[in-house]
Amino acid sequence: MRDLDQALTDIAAMRRQMARGTEFRGYGPVAFGVTGLLAVATALVQAFWLSDPLPDAAAAGGYGRAAVRGAVGFVVLWGAAGLIAVAVMGYEVVSRARRVHVGLADAMIREAAAQMVPALVAGAAVTLVLLRAAPGALWLLPGLWQLLLSLGVFASRRSLPRPFLWVGVWYMACGLACLALAQGAHAFSPWAMAVPFGVGQFMAAALIHRSEPRHGDGRRP
């Protein structure tokens, strides 16, 4: 019995090692494209729904009750968009991985989650802390979200196509630019979210599409 347990443990360890050394093909261009469109659509909703009082209050250097309510609305709107994006990505990751990786699918999905989930959890935790303890600093969130997503991309670099590194570079550059520029009169600008996430997700979709292997008839998996 002990020999059987040891053999099962060794097989599980081999599967984990194979999963770590194999390019993960669970990410697909459709989900990246859909989430890019979602970012643009959310920015349009914000432009009509939350146009005031955020920029005026930030420009005046004050965060009164109305401005805080607007900032919370910003977080709720983009938080909901983020949850939808995670659901879309998660559905495609699971369905594609089980179709492409077959026997290694579960191990590959766990490895991909272990690389990306910490950045997502950190983003949610930072958001909750600022909402609770420092609502006047909520203008930092667009930049922080982009920086954390870039770290998730960098953490996943071993299992993604090599050019995908540029997606992480894009999000890091955008995050730093938002922290430096998207404040005062430009705080909570919907385009500080739409441009980084829209372009970033479309870039990811294009890179994944180009990197997908073709079948003999030219079709992609």
Side-chain angles (χ1 to χ4, degrees):
M1 191 67 173
R2 183 176 299 175
D3 292 341
L4 177 60
D5 290 340
Q6 184 61 47
L8 293 174
T9 300
D10 291 341
I11 291 172
M14 291 174 61
R15 290 168 70 87
R16 287 195 299 271
Q17 189 62 36
M18 290 177 63
R20 292 192 184 108
T22 303
E23 181 180 307
F24 184 58
R25 290 167 52 202
Y27 294 113
V30 173
F32 281 111
V34 168
T35 53
L37 291 173
L38 176 64
V40 176
T42 305
L44 293 173
V45 171
Q46 182 193 334
F48 289 101
W49 181 40
L50 289 176
S51 57
D52 291 314
L54 298 180
D56 293 338
Y63 283 90
R65 187 173 300 176
V68 169
R69 282 200 303 269
V72 171
F74 171 89
V75 172
V76 170
L77 176 64
W78 284 100
L83 289 175
I84 294 171
V86 169
V88 171
M89 294 293 300
Y91 175 80
E92 186 171 54
V93 162
V94 172
S95 60
R96 278 178 58 95
R98 288 179 176 168
R99 185 172 69 251
V100 174
H101 294 295
V102 193
L104 281 177
D106 290 342
M108 299 284 288
I109 292 170
R110 284 194 294 270
E111 285 297 317
Q115 294 162 354
M116 184 59 72
V117 166
L120 300 178
V121 171
V126 167
T127 302
L128 291 175
V129 167
L130 291 184
L131 279 170
R132 178 77 175 177
L138 287 171
W139 67 270
L140 294 167
L141 281 177
L144 293 177
W145 285 336
Q146 292 155 35
L147 287 173
L148 289 169
L149 183 55
S150 77
L151 295 179
V153 173
F154 291 139
S156 305
R157 68 190 184 281
R158 288 179 300 176
S159 58
L160 290 169
R162 183 168 296 180
F164 214 85
L165 178 69
W166 290 107
V167 177
V169 172
W170 167 259
Y171 278 121
M172 178 163 285
C174 288
L176 294 173
C178 280
L179 291 177
L181 303 174
Q183 53 183 294
H186 302 291
F188 304 106
S189 168
W191 309 116
M193 294 289 290
V195 173
F197 285 104
V199 173
Q201 296 303 91
F202 291 143
M203 183 191 306
L207 290 173
I208 290 291
H209 180 73
R210 289 186 60 185
S211 68
E212 284 187 331
R214 294 178 182 271
H215 298 301
D217 57 4
R219 293 184 299 107
R220 297 178 188 270

